[in-house]
């Protein structure tokens, strides 16, 4: 359990400003739901909180600590994605690379991107695991 404070968080993708200064306080034990039309920025905000995406400006504070530049694995929070497809017959690594493989991405590039993502999430020890 803990608290979350979001202070004037903005996120732009190029010229498109998706988060336009979000302020939110979530106290210990509170349950919060983000509701809004598709594309309004719900997932982007969750990704910024989790550290999977950098905000353009503003602060994310967890339990009083500014984690705005803290890597995701060190934030002590978890995220479950709205859509996921994990194949039990594939290793963690092959699950991670499947979308890229199907898109025809060269295997060296797949390796490179799995390395970056797994380092970000401290998943390296599990890459060869089946589940
Ligand atoms: N990596 C990215 N690069 C460019 N634009 C992006 C990127 N990620 C999200 N966007 C854009 O940001 C906006 C918000 O997207 P986001 O996925 O946060 O919406 P959402 O509220 O979660 O939508 P949904 O209800 O469909 O899940 C959309 O216009 C989307 O196209
Ligand atoms: Mg979403």
């Amino acid at each position: 359990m803990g608290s979350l404070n979001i202070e004037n968080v903005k996120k732009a993708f190029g010229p498109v400003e998706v988060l336009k200064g979000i302020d939110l306080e979530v106290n210990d034990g509170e349950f919060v739901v983000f509701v809004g039309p598709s594309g309004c920025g719900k997932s982007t905000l969750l990704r910024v909180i989790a550290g999977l995406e950098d905000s353009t400006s503003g602060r994310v504070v967890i339990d009083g600590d500014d984690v705005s530049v803290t890597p995701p694995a060190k934030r002590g929070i978890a995220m479950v994605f709205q859509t996921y497809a994990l194949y039990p017959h594939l290793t963690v690594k092959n699950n991670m690379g499947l979308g890229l493989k199907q898109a025809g991405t060269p295997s060296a590039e797949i390796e490179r991107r799995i390395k970056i993502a797994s380092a970000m999430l401290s998943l390296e020890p599990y890459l060869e695991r089946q589940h």
Side-chain angles (χ1 to χ4, degrees):
M1 300 300 263
S3 65
L4 169 70
N5 282 275
I6 296 168
E7 299 169 6
N8 199 21
V9 162
K10 296 183 182 171
K11 175 67 183 177
F13 293 106
V16 183
E17 197 174 37
V18 175
L19 304 179
K20 298 169 185 164
I22 305 281
D23 290 292
L24 178 70
E25 185 181 323
V26 184
N27 293 307
D28 196 7
E30 286 183 347
F31 184 83
V32 174
V33 178
F34 301 147
V35 182
S38 181
C40 76
K42 305 177 296 292
S43 294
T44 301
L45 181 57
L46 289 174
R47 291 172 60 83
V48 167
I49 293 168
L52 300 172
E53 197 83 68
D54 290 331
S55 63
T56 308
S57 63
R59 295 206 315 155
V60 175
V61 180
I62 296 174
D63 272 344
D65 293 330
D66 184 346
V67 297
S68 304
V69 295
T70 305
K74 298 219 167 112
R75 295 192 184 198
I77 56 174
M79 179 164 170
V80 178
F81 293 89
Q82 65 194 89
T83 52
Y84 62 89
L86 292 176
Y87 295 99
H89 64 292
L90 296 181
T91 59
V92 170
K93 182 177 173 178
N94 288 340
N95 266 294
M96 288 175 78
L98 185 63
L100 292 171
K101 190 175 174 193
Q102 288 183 332
T105 307
S107 55
E109 174 64 10
I110 297 177
E111 287 283 334
R112 193 185 71 81
R113 287 167 69 171
I114 288 174
K115 209 168 170 189
I116 292 169
S118 58
M120 186 189 272
L121 300 167
S122 292
L123 279 176
E124 295 109 320
Y126 309 106
L127 285 177
E128 301 304 329
R129 270 179 35 172
Q130 210 68 26
H131 50 72

